[in-house]
Amino acid sequence: MKASAVWIVAVVALAVGFGAGFGLRPVFMPTTSAAAGVAQPTEQEATDAVRRHKLFTGTSLANATLKLGDCSPGGVGPGVTCMTQLTMDPTRPNAASQNRPIGFARVNGQWEVAVW
């Protein structure tokens, strides 16, 4: 087979592959809201879970404040991952908020931080 024929076959194969992937995407990854009907914590339950959580450094978050955003089913394990606006310790001067995803899971009927 000539080099030009190999290139033509490769380009056609890539075009077919990309076209099939684009066409089948809704089958593999539905575009409907995945969070509909999925249990998620209330803002108070999420705040309580963050306040109980200890960071790997041993830092306590007992004063943390949290605003809960959109939640979606957890990608790695059970529970949900929610976008949050977290202030670790609002009593400190110049305390800044962080926008970050936090995973929550229900353990023995209580919401806990699952993925930090």
Side-chain angles (χ1 to χ4, degrees):
M1 202 185 253
K2 292 184 177 183
S4 61
V6 171
W7 279 105
I8 292 172
V9 169
V11 169
V12 169
L14 282 172
V16 169
F18 282 125
F22 183 75
L24 293 174
R25 183 184 180 280
V27 173
F28 296 123
M29 298 179 71
T31 56
T32 59
S33 176
V38 175
Q40 62 188 49
T42 64
E43 193 162 298
Q44 185 60 48
E45 291 171 327
T47 301
D48 292 343
V50 167
R51 288 180 177 173
R52 285 191 303 272
H53 183 71
K54 296 250 193 240
L55 298 177
F56 67 93
T57 59
T59 304
S60 173
L61 301 173
N63 295 323
T65 60
L66 179 103
K67 290 183 183 175
L68 198 60
D70 293 333
C71 296
S72 61
V76 177
V80 294
T81 301
C82 301
M83 282 305 298
T84 64
Q85 184 178 26
L86 174 71
T87 306
M88 299 260 214
D89 190 356
T91 62
R92 295 178 63 185
N94 300 325
S97 295
Q98 302 174 11
N99 294 322
R100 62 180 304 142
I102 299 178
F104 297 96
R106 190 177 285 276
V107 179
N108 296 327
Q110 183 174 344
W111 285 98
E112 299 292 340
V113 172
V115 179
W116 186 258

Coordinates of all heavy atoms in Angstrom, one line a residue, residues 61-111:
L61 N -12.2 22.4 61.7 CA -13.0 23.3 61.0 C -14.3 23.7 61.8 O -15.3 23.9 61.2 CB -13.3 22.8 59.6 CG -12.1 22.4 58.7 CD1 -12.6 21.7 57.5 CD2 -11.3 23.6 58.4
A62 N -14.2 23.8 63.1 CA -15.3 24.0 63.9 C -16.0 25.3 63.7 O -17.2 25.4 63.9 CB -14.9 23.9 65.4
N63 N -15.3 26.3 63.1 CA -16.0 27.6 62.9 C -16.3 27.8 61.4 O -16.7 28.9 61.0 CB -15.0 28.7 63.3 CG -14.8 28.7 64.8 OD1 -15.7 28.4 65.6 ND2 -13.6 29.0 65.2
A64 N -16.1 26.8 60.6 CA -16.3 27.0 59.1 C -17.7 27.4 58.8 O -18.7 27.0 59.4 CB -15.9 25.7 58.4
T65 N -17.8 28.2 57.7 CA -19.1 28.5 57.2 C -19.1 28.0 55.7 O -18.1 27.9 55.1 CB -19.4 30.0 57.2 OG1 -18.4 30.7 56.4 CG2 -19.4 30.5 58.6
L66 N -20.3 27.6 55.3 CA -20.4 27.0 54.0 C -21.7 27.4 53.3 O -22.7 27.5 53.9 CB -20.4 25.5 54.2 CG -20.5 24.6 52.9 CD1 -19.2 24.0 52.6 CD2 -21.5 23.5 53.2
K67 N -21.5 27.7 52.0 CA -22.7 27.9 51.1 C -22.7 26.8 50.1 O -21.7 26.6 49.4 CB -22.6 29.3 50.4 CG -22.8 30.5 51.4 CD -22.8 31.8 50.7 CE -22.9 32.9 51.6 NZ -22.8 34.2 51.0
L68 N -23.8 26.1 50.0 CA -23.9 24.9 49.2 C -24.4 25.3 47.8 O -25.3 26.1 47.7 CB -24.9 23.9 49.8 CG -24.8 22.5 49.3 CD1 -23.5 21.9 49.6 CD2 -25.9 21.7 50.1
G69 N -23.7 24.8 46.8 CA -24.1 25.1 45.4 C -24.8 23.9 44.8 O -25.4 23.1 45.4
D70 N -24.5 23.7 43.5 CA -25.1 22.6 42.7 C -24.4 21.3 43.2 O -23.2 21.2 43.4 CB -24.9 22.7 41.2 CG -25.7 23.9 40.7 OD1 -26.8 24.2 41.3 OD2 -25.3 24.5 39.7
C71 N -25.2 20.2 43.3 CA -24.7 18.9 43.6 C -25.0 17.9 42.5 O -26.0 18.0 41.8 CB -25.4 18.4 44.9 SG -25.0 19.3 46.4
S72 N -24.1 16.9 42.3 CA -24.3 15.9 41.3 C -23.8 14.6 41.9 O -23.1 14.6 42.9 CB -23.5 16.2 40.1 OG -22.1 16.3 40.4
P73 N -24.3 13.4 41.4 CA -23.9 12.2 42.0 C -22.4 12.0 42.0 O -21.7 12.5 41.1 CB -24.5 11.1 41.0 CG -25.6 11.8 40.3 CD -25.2 13.3 40.2
G74 N -21.9 11.4 43.1 CA -20.4 11.2 43.2 C -19.9 10.4 42.1 O -20.5 9.4 41.7
G75 N -18.8 10.8 41.5 CA -18.2 10.1 40.4 C -17.4 8.9 40.8 O -17.3 7.9 40.1
V76 N -16.8 8.9 42.0 CA -15.9 7.8 42.4 C -16.6 6.9 43.3 O -16.4 5.7 43.2 CB -14.7 8.4 43.1 CG1 -13.8 7.4 43.6 CG2 -13.9 9.3 42.1
G77 N -17.4 7.3 44.2 CA -18.0 6.5 45.2 C -19.5 6.9 45.4 O -20.0 7.7 44.7
P78 N -20.0 6.4 46.5 CA -21.4 6.8 46.9 C -21.5 8.2 47.3 O -20.5 8.9 47.7 CB -21.7 5.8 48.0 CG -20.4 5.5 48.7 CD -19.4 5.5 47.5
G79 N -22.7 8.8 47.3 CA -22.9 10.1 47.7 C -22.9 11.1 46.6 O -23.2 10.8 45.4
V80 N -22.7 12.4 46.9 CA -22.8 13.5 46.0 C -21.5 14.4 46.1 O -20.9 14.4 47.1 CB -24.0 14.3 46.2 CG1 -25.3 13.6 45.9 CG2 -24.1 14.9 47.5
T81 N -21.2 15.1 45.0 CA -20.2 16.1 45.0 C -20.9 17.4 44.8 O -21.7 17.6 43.8 CB -19.2 15.8 43.9 OG1 -18.6 14.5 44.2 CG2 -18.1 16.9 43.9
C82 N -20.7 18.3 45.7 CA -21.3 19.6 45.6 C -20.3 20.8 45.5 O -19.2 20.7 46.1 CB -22.1 19.9 46.9 SG -23.4 18.7 47.2
M83 N -20.6 21.7 44.7 CA -19.8 23.0 44.7 C -20.1 23.7 45.9 O -21.3 23.8 46.3 CB -20.1 23.8 43.4 CG -19.4 23.3 42.2 SD -17.6 23.0 42.3 CE -17.1 24.7 42.6
T84 N -19.1 24.3 46.6 CA -19.3 25.0 47.8 C -18.5 26.3 47.8 O -17.6 26.4 47.1 CB -18.9 24.2 49.0 OG1 -17.5 23.9 49.0 CG2 -19.6 22.9 49.1
Q85 N -19.0 27.2 48.6 CA -18.2 28.4 48.9 C -17.9 28.3 50.4 O -18.7 28.4 51.3 CB -19.0 29.7 48.6 CG -18.2 30.9 48.9 CD -18.9 32.2 48.5 OE1 -20.2 32.2 48.6 NE2 -18.2 33.2 48.2
L86 N -16.6 28.0 50.7 CA -16.2 27.6 52.1 C -15.3 28.7 52.7 O -14.4 29.2 52.0 CB -15.4 26.3 52.0 CG -14.8 25.8 53.3 CD1 -15.8 25.3 54.3 CD2 -13.8 24.7 53.0
T87 N -15.6 29.1 53.9 CA -14.7 30.0 54.7 C -14.3 29.1 55.8 O -15.1 28.7 56.7 CB -15.4 31.2 55.1 OG1 -16.0 31.9 54.0 CG2 -14.5 32.2 55.8
M88 N -13.0 28.8 55.9 CA -12.5 27.9 56.9 C -12.7 28.4 58.3 O -13.1 27.7 59.2 CB -11.0 27.6 56.7 CG -10.7 26.9 55.4 SD -10.5 25.2 55.6 CE -9.4 24.9 54.3
D89 N -12.3 29.7 58.6 CA -12.5 30.3 59.9 C -12.8 31.8 59.7 O -11.9 32.6 59.6 CB -11.2 30.1 60.7 CG -11.4 30.5 62.2 OD1 -12.4 31.0 62.5 OD2 -10.4 30.3 62.9
P90 N -14.1 32.1 59.7 CA -14.5 33.5 59.5 C -14.1 34.4 60.6 O -14.2 35.6 60.5 CB -16.0 33.4 59.3 CG -16.4 32.2 59.9 CD -15.2 31.2 59.8
T91 N -13.7 33.9 61.8 CA -13.3 34.7 62.9 C -11.9 35.3 62.7 O -11.6 36.3 63.4 CB -13.4 33.9 64.2 OG1 -12.4 32.8 64.2 CG2 -14.8 33.4 64.5
R92 N -11.1 34.8 61.8 CA -9.8 35.3 61.6 C -9.8 36.5 60.7 O -10.7 36.6 59.8 CB -8.9 34.2 60.9 CG -8.7 33.0 61.9 CD -7.9 32.0 61.2 NE -6.5 32.5 60.9 CZ -5.6 31.8 60.2 NH1 -5.9 30.6 59.8 NH2 -4.5 32.3 60.0
P93 N -9.0 37.5 60.9 CA -8.9 38.7 60.0 C -8.5 38.2 58.6 O -7.7 37.4 58.4 CB -7.9 39.6 60.7 CG -7.2 38.8 61.6 CD -8.0 37.6 62.0
N94 N -9.1 38.9 57.6 CA -8.8 38.6 56.2 C -9.2 37.2 55.8 O -8.5 36.6 54.9 CB -7.4 38.9 55.9 CG -7.0 40.4 56.1 OD1 -7.9 41.3 55.9 ND2 -5.8 40.6 56.6
A95 N -10.2 36.6 56.4 CA -10.6 35.2 56.1 C -11.2 35.3 54.7 O -12.1 36.1 54.4 CB -11.6 34.7 57.1
A96 N -10.7 34.4 53.8 CA -11.1 34.4 52.4 C -12.0 33.2 52.2 O -11.7 32.1 52.7 CB -9.9 34.4 51.5
S97 N -12.9 33.3 51.3 CA -13.8 32.2 50.9 C -13.1 31.4 49.8 O -12.4 32.0 48.9 CB -15.1 32.7 50.4 OG -15.8 33.2 51.4
Q98 N -13.3 30.1 49.7 CA -12.8 29.3 48.7 C -13.9 28.6 47.9 O -14.8 28.1 48.6 CB -11.9 28.1 49.2 CG -10.8 28.6 50.1 CD -10.0 27.4 50.7 OE1 -10.3 26.3 50.3 NE2 -9.2 27.7 51.6
N99 N -13.9 28.7 46.6 CA -14.9 27.9 45.8 C -14.3 26.6 45.5 O -13.3 26.5 44.8 CB -15.3 28.7 44.5 CG -16.0 30.0 44.9 OD1 -16.8 30.1 45.8 ND2 -15.6 31.0 44.1
R100 N -14.9 25.5 46.0 CA -14.3 24.2 45.8 C -15.4 23.1 45.9 O -16.4 23.3 46.6 CB -13.3 23.9 46.9 CG -13.8 23.9 48.3 CD -12.8 23.7 49.3 NE -12.1 22.4 49.1 CZ -10.8 22.2 49.3 NH1 -10.1 23.2 49.8 NH2 -10.3 21.1 49.1
P101 N -15.2 22.0 45.2 CA -16.1 20.9 45.3 C -15.8 20.1 46.5 O -14.6 19.9 46.9 CB -15.8 20.1 44.0 CG -14.4 20.4 43.7 CD -14.2 21.8 44.1
I102 N -16.8 19.6 47.2 CA -16.7 18.7 48.4 C -17.6 17.6 48.2 O -18.8 17.8 47.9 CB -16.9 19.5 49.7 CG1 -15.9 20.6 49.9 CG2 -16.9 18.5 50.9 CD1 -16.2 21.5 51.1
G103 N -17.2 16.4 48.5 CA -18.0 15.2 48.4 C -18.7 14.9 49.7 O -18.0 15.0 50.8
F104 N -19.9 14.5 49.7 CA -20.7 14.2 50.9 C -21.3 12.8 50.7 O -21.7 12.5 49.6 CB -21.8 15.2 51.2 CG -21.3 16.6 51.4 CD1 -21.2 17.5 50.4 CD2 -20.9 16.9 52.7 CE1 -20.8 18.8 50.7 CE2 -20.4 18.2 53.0 CZ -20.4 19.2 51.9
A105 N -21.3 12.0 51.8 CA -22.0 10.7 51.7 C -22.7 10.5 53.0 O -22.3 11.0 54.1 CB -20.9 9.6 51.6
R106 N -23.8 9.8 52.9 CA -24.6 9.5 54.1 C -24.1 8.3 54.8 O -24.0 7.2 54.2 CB -26.1 9.3 53.8 CG -27.0 9.3 55.0 CD -28.5 9.2 54.5 NE -29.0 10.4 54.0 CZ -29.5 11.4 54.8 NH1 -29.4 11.3 56.1 NH2 -30.0 12.5 54.2
V107 N -23.7 8.4 56.1 CA -23.1 7.3 56.8 C -24.0 7.2 58.1 O -24.0 8.1 58.9 CB -21.6 7.6 57.2 CG1 -21.1 6.4 58.1 CG2 -20.8 7.8 56.0
N108 N -24.6 6.0 58.3 CA -25.4 5.8 59.4 C -26.5 6.9 59.6 O -26.7 7.3 60.7 CB -24.6 5.6 60.7 CG -23.7 4.4 60.6 OD1 -24.0 3.4 60.0 ND2 -22.6 4.5 61.3
G109 N -27.1 7.3 58.5 CA -28.1 8.3 58.6 C -27.7 9.7 58.7 O -28.5 10.6 58.8
Q110 N -26.4 10.0 58.7 CA -25.8 11.3 58.9 C -24.9 11.7 57.8 O -24.1 10.8 57.3 CB -25.1 11.3 60.2 CG -24.5 12.7 60.6 CD -23.9 12.6 62.0 OE1 -24.1 11.7 62.8 NE2 -23.1 13.6 62.3
W111 N -25.0 12.9 57.3 CA -24.1 13.3 56.2 C -22.7 13.5 56.7 O -22.5 14.2 57.7 CB -24.6 14.6 55.5 CG -25.8 14.3 54.6 CD1 -27.1 14.5 55.0 CD2 -25.8 13.7 53.3 NE1 -27.9 14.1 53.9 CE2 -27.1 13.6 52.9 CE3 -24.8 13.3 52.4 CZ2 -27.5 13.1 51.6 CZ3 -25.1 12.9 51.2 CH2 -26.5 12.8 50.8

